[in-house]
Amino acid sequence: MTDTPAQQPASLFGPDSQFHRFFNDPRWALAVVRATVMEAAHPQIGAALIDNSSFVMHPWRRLRNTLVSLQRMFGPDEETRQREAARLNRLHARLSGTDARERPYDAMDPEVRAWVVATLFESSVTMCRLSGQPLDQATMEQLYAEFRAFLDVLTDRPDHLPPTLPEFWRYYDRVVEEELENTEALQIILYKLFDHLPAPPVLDGLPTVWAAGRALAGPLIGTITVASLPEPFRRRAGLPETPGAQVLMQSVYTAVGLSRFLPDGWLRTETLTNLLYLTPDSDDPQAAALTAVRDRMKQAGALFRLVAPLPEQRGPAEPGGGGAPRGSGEFFTAVLDQTGDGYLDWPDLASMAREVASRLDLDEPEETRLYNAYAAWWRELQSDLDSDGDGRISREEYVAAVPSLAGPALIRVAEVLFDVTDADGDQVIDAEEYRALFRTGFRRVVGGSGGSCSRSAFVKEFLSFMAGRQRSTAYDPLLTGA
Amino acid sequence: MTVEEAAPTAGGTRRGVPRHVACVMDGNGRWAAARSLPRTSGHQAAETTVIDVIEAARAAGVRWLSLYAFSTENWQRPSGEVDFLMRLVRRVVRKHAALLHARGIRCRFLGVADPRIPAPLARDFADLTTLTGTNRGMTLTVAFDHGGRRDIVEAARSLIRSGLPADAVDERHFAAHLPFPDTPDVDLVIRTSGEQRISNFMLWQVAYAEWIFPPVLWPDFRAPHFLECLHAYRRRDRRFGGVTPR
């Protein structure tokens, strides 16, 4: 990494930027939720989210990808930024279609993209206001310039966000007044996402702890977010005015804001999301400490259960299944239906391709190859399994036809996946390449005796996961992880 | 692994405290019959002995203690007795869990594969294993629904699955596929009530074990008996097939 202090545009990004000040601010978590709600209220974005996003099923993965992306965009390195912008553009170019009312949406629409950046900026400013530490005019202007530069890197035309701050506020108010709607995506984020939020991978083994926390936090986050939305929008969208919600919202913002008195480095968004995203069994060095904490919690749980008074029950013996292969219905829900709408269609497979592409940080033409392989698989699935011809595959259709799943197109996916994972092209996946894809080192991979994995072993493992429905220490965290 | 654990057992000289002691808890039924009590009360009386022996072993410096609680063949007993045993074991596990943990004893359960084991009991086994998993004191292995042959068959299966070429298989590799491969060979087996059989118990691990058959029935077995057995073990020459060096 080279610092280029002489270069004027680069100085808007990097560690000294206003953006970086917020990035590790815990209030930002609230602000990002709010920004996402404001985004989802835009009809085009809402439709794109409903159709394509896997955030309901895999919110943690999505969150992490977003943060990594933002960090690259606002980081000091110009080259990384340009690459990330190109990647984001390719990603969004694949998202277009029509919504339920046949209105077209397109993630590349410049106005749409401007709105996304606008909500992030506005939510950051509002976050400061709500917690009683408003930004001064100069800081606000600098932050705005940074976000405008962000949009500038993404699109070649910066003029979709107004050049000055006063004009921005007029633009913002106009969109809120005229364009936002009470979309389905907004409803889902506000009222479904947090009530059903799956446990982050790290808490996966502790469902009770997670469910208890969520039952409290879910409605709380919903209420706080609604209360922080602009009043005109709340009125138009018919969102509830809960008594005391304003006070609650401001108290929470203020309380979270107090964390600025914590010593430096205690709260780092990056560390936090990485922690949440860790699979406890992975061999990442950070996982060790985390596993220790988790183990203590498990021990406490075990002790609690053991000393709790014994409810006298004589239930019949139940067969306990540990690592048994899952049923095809379960596989459908856990792996295939990435968007969680109960059907398997292209966005589900695209979401898998997207996850693999971002993990491996693929460039062109590999990324397109991967998507094409998934697309060919989708066509194969559609022609083989879609018996009622509605263009998508229901759970029932899938369960009825499972044996025919490992067709030539799926094998092709496995091969392409091998090719793109094999970054140095030496026809073996070495430990480092393996780690890039699965975020964990070699385990007991079939035939992986020498610390590497051959093409045939890799393809075999992939197929046995996708078709044989064998559980896999590697693919399960990749494709089912929330 | 402590230094003590790492010390080799092989040698053929007279030994101190055995590293790994296993008990076949035999004689509960006869104990009850001798008192005209139902067989189940014999099992009930065994609880005291179990706790006594665990405590004695720990105090004597035994690092590994294995107890044969229930064999794969025991399922053939009358269903009423099996049911009673399941409930009793569950009660005992829960009653002593905190104590075992406080004593720094690492507990684990060998076998426990049969679907007939009630789910709550299996849950308690798992909980006790989790709770005490990091303890560094004595390791207590309770063989429950255990069969030595079954373990060997399972190990063979896992060995084949691992794809190791046949010529590469040796004892060490094989042992690594047995359940709890960190368990050292058993040095001393105590089978109470005078019966002299192996009964399919930890077949692989008892290969070089010394056997002692005290006539006392398990419910009457107490810490002094246990120490007597340790003493008898110390007096024996263990040659592992060699000759005693002079």
Side-chain angles (χ1 to χ4, degrees):
Chain A
M1 266 190 277
T2 48
D3 265 21
T4 48
Q7 208 180 337
Q8 193 48 38
S11 66
L12 278 176
F13 299 107
D16 297 330
S17 61
Q18 287 302 319
F19 172 81
H20 264 262
R21 245 185 47 194
F22 290 130
F23 195 74
N24 291 324
D25 190 327
R27 289 174 300 174
W28 226 61
L30 295 168
V32 166
V33 173
R34 182 182 180 277
T36 313
V37 170
M38 295 296 285
E39 274 174 41
H42 192 285
Q44 281 206 53
I45 303 173
L49 284 174
I50 286 292
D51 272 6
N52 297 288
S53 184
S54 52
F55 74 90
V56 176
M57 293 298 278
H58 306 277
W60 300 101
R61 187 171 90 189
R62 173 68 205 271
L63 174 70
R64 186 177 191 278
N65 289 345
T66 305
L67 288 174
V68 168
S69 175
L70 278 174
Q71 241 178 352
R72 286 181 183 161
M73 290 303 289
F74 282 90
D77 186 30
E78 186 59 33
E79 200 181 317
T80 314
R81 181 165 25 257
Q82 293 300 341
R83 263 192 81 211
E84 181 61 18
R87 192 186 73 85
L88 284 175
N89 282 338
R90 289 198 305 272
L91 192 155
H92 286 107
R94 294 194 168 90
L95 307 179
S96 60
T98 50
D99 68 4
R101 284 192 266 160
E102 297 296 318
R103 292 179 299 186
Y105 69 83
D106 177 4
M108 285 299 270
D109 185 333
E111 248 181 75
V112 168
R113 312 190 78 178
W115 178 244
V116 172
V117 176
T119 57
L120 275 175
F121 167 70
E122 191 270 345
S123 288
S124 304
V125 172
T126 306
M127 150 188 116
C128 295
R129 275 199 315 121
L130 290 177
S131 52
Q133 310 154 41
L135 297 178
D136 59 51
Q137 198 60 29
T139 316
M140 215 193 300
E141 269 171 16
Q142 204 210 324
L143 188 67
Y144 183 63
E146 284 169 19
F147 273 101
R148 243 183 131 239
F150 171 54
L151 184 65
D152 199 7
V153 178
L154 277 181
T155 60
D156 296 331
R157 303 178 48 206
D159 48 339
H160 288 285
L161 275 183
T164 65
L165 210 45
E167 288 169 283
F168 170 80
W169 291 118
R170 277 199 293 279
Y171 153 80
Y172 190 86
D173 291 342
R174 183 189 63 75
V175 177
V176 169
E177 285 279 348
E178 293 170 13
E179 294 191 22
L180 296 194
E181 291 173 11
N182 190 351
T183 62
E184 193 188 343
L186 171 129
Q187 292 285 333
I188 288 179
I189 296 177
L190 280 181
Y191 300 116
K192 256 177 81 183
L193 179 61
F194 292 108
D195 290 353
H196 300 270
L197 195 63
V202 64
L203 288 176
D204 216 15
L206 304 162
T208 352
V209 176
W210 178 251
R214 185 181 58 188
L216 279 175
L220 187 69
I221 298 177
T223 313
I224 291 173
T225 310
V226 170
S228 69
L229 295 176
E231 215 280 324
F233 175 65
R234 286 212 304 272
R235 190 175 54 226
R236 244 160 35 84
L239 294 172
E241 294 284 338
T242 322
Q246 289 290 334
V247 178
L248 174 72
M249 180 264 295
Q250 290 189 2
S251 323
V252 170
Y253 266 96
T254 313
V256 179
L258 290 178
S259 68
R260 68 181 183 280
F261 296 115
L262 287 175
D264 269 356
W266 269 35
L267 282 167
R268 298 194 61 86
T269 306
E270 196 188 355
T271 329
L272 220 58
T273 42
N274 279 340
L275 278 182
L276 284 177
Y277 199 74
L278 273 182
T279 322
D281 301 327
S282 86
D283 54 1
D284 191 288
Q286 274 181 315
L290 200 69
T291 311
V293 173
R294 210 175 106 106
D295 286 349
R296 300 304 291 189
M297 287 169 74
K298 275 189 165 173
Q299 280 188 346
L303 181 62
F304 178 76
R305 278 191 300 270
L306 282 169
V307 299
L310 187 63
E312 205 45 65
Q313 49 170 349
R314 289 185 220 163
E318 280 172 38
R326 58 185 127 216
S328 41
E330 195 194 331
F331 181 77
F332 183 89
T333 314
V335 179
L336 294 176
D337 185 13
Q338 296 267 315
T339 54
D341 59 355
Y343 290 94
L344 172 62
D345 50 13
W346 169 239
D348 296 309
L349 297 192
S351 156
M352 289 189 214
R354 202 157 58 220
E355 179 59 20
V356 170
S358 51
R359 281 213 178 184
L360 294 175
D361 202 9
L362 291 185
D363 267 328
E364 290 297 2
E366 285 83 9
E367 195 183 83
T368 305
R369 260 190 87 198
L370 184 71
Y371 270 95
N372 286 345
Y374 269 97
W377 183 35
W378 168 236
R379 282 190 293 275
E380 182 181 273
L381 281 174
Q382 219 177 2
S383 67
D384 289 356
L385 303 188
D386 182 19
S387 41
D388 62 2
D390 65 350
R392 53 188 190 174
I393 295 160
S394 69
R395 197 180 146 107
E396 290 71 31
E397 286 169 339
Y398 173 79
V399 171
V402 186
S404 63
L405 190 64
L410 180 61
I411 298 173
R412 182 87 194 116
V413 170
E415 284 179 343
V416 172
L417 188 59
F418 177 86
D419 288 341
V420 297
T421 309
D422 179 22
D424 56 7
D426 62 355
Q427 296 301 312
V428 259
I429 307 268
D430 59 39
E432 203 173 306
E433 290 161 350
Y434 193 86
R435 183 180 289 279
L437 180 58
F438 298 116
R439 298 229 171 86
T440 177
F442 279 110
R443 285 267 175 102
R444 277 181 246 152
V445 184
V446 204
S449 46
S452 63
C453 181
S454 70
R455 176 182 289 267
S456 62
F458 184 89
V459 170
K460 201 169 121 198
E461 202 196 350
F462 179 79
L463 290 182
S464 81
F465 174 75
M466 294 305 288
R469 305 185 303 283
Q470 202 85 61
R471 284 176 194 280
S472 151
T473 49
Y475 287 103
D476 264 302
L478 172 66
L479 292 176
T480 69
Chain B
M1 212 188 227
T2 63
V3 182
E4 194 181 341
E5 268 177 275
T9 40
T13 50
R14 292 186 179 187
R15 316 227 27 103
V17 179
R19 185 156 64 135
H20 186 173
V21 178
C23 296
V24 181
M25 311 188 284
D26 206 357
N28 296 346
R30 269 162 287 159
W31 183 90
R35 288 163 180 72
S36 307
L37 292 168
R39 283 176 64 81
T40 48
S41 47
H43 298 310
Q44 243 161 347
E47 178 188 340
T48 320
T49 309
V50 168
I51 300 305
D52 215 36
V53 165
I54 291 174
E55 209 38 56
R58 205 185 67 88
V62 173
R63 304 291 303 174
W64 300 76
L65 177 69
S66 298
L67 300 177
Y68 200 8
F70 194 86
S71 75
T72 44
E73 290 75 26
N74 288 153
W75 290 109
Q76 293 156 12
R77 292 190 181 174
S79 69
E81 188 182 336
V82 170
D83 283 350
F84 177 84
L85 268 172
M86 297 293 155
R87 282 201 304 279
L88 175 74
V89 170
R90 180 153 195 238
R91 232 195 53 231
V92 171
V93 163
R94 297 175 68 93
K95 185 166 151 195
H96 299 285
L99 180 83
L100 290 169
H101 183 47
R103 289 295 204 174
I105 294 170
R106 175 168 69 140
C107 304
R108 50 199 201 175
F109 295 86
L110 177 65
V112 200
D114 200 289
R116 282 172 289 185
I117 296 173
L121 178 61
R123 170 96 234 188
D124 284 351
F125 284 170
D127 279 344
L128 186 58
T129 310
T130 310
L131 177 67
T132 61
T134 49
N135 287 346
R136 288 286 165 266
M138 185 176 74
T139 299
L140 172 68
T141 307
V142 178
F144 194 91
D145 177 38
H146 160 79
R149 283 189 175 177
R150 187 177 66 185
D151 283 357
I152 292 177
V153 171
E154 280 297 323
R157 217 177 264 162
S158 142
L159 196 66
I160 293 167
R161 260 192 235 114
S162 78
L164 200 66
D167 292 332
V169 177
D170 56 18
E171 286 186 14
R172 198 174 50 83
H173 278 114
F174 192 91
H177 288 267
L178 288 165
F180 303 133
D182 59 338
T183 312
D185 276 355
V186 177
D187 298 305
L188 168 66
V189 185
I190 301 169
R191 180 165 189 152
T192 53
S193 85
E195 298 289 335
Q196 308 193 349
R197 284 189 300 271
I198 296 187
S199 300
N200 202 8
F201 176 55
M202 292 181 104
L203 290 180
W204 182 275
Q205 293 90 343
V206 300
Y208 289 103
E210 295 289 326
W211 289 72
I212 292 180
F213 304 100
V216 52
L217 303 174
W218 181 255
D220 291 329
F221 194 79
R222 284 292 177 272
H225 299 109
F226 185 79
L227 296 175
E228 235 169 71
C229 292
L230 295 192
H231 191 61
Y233 166 84
R234 266 188 228 119
R235 285 196 309 263
R236 287 192 186 177
D237 274 348
R238 296 190 75 199
R239 294 193 296 271
F240 297 96
V243 289
T244 315
R246 300 271 167 192

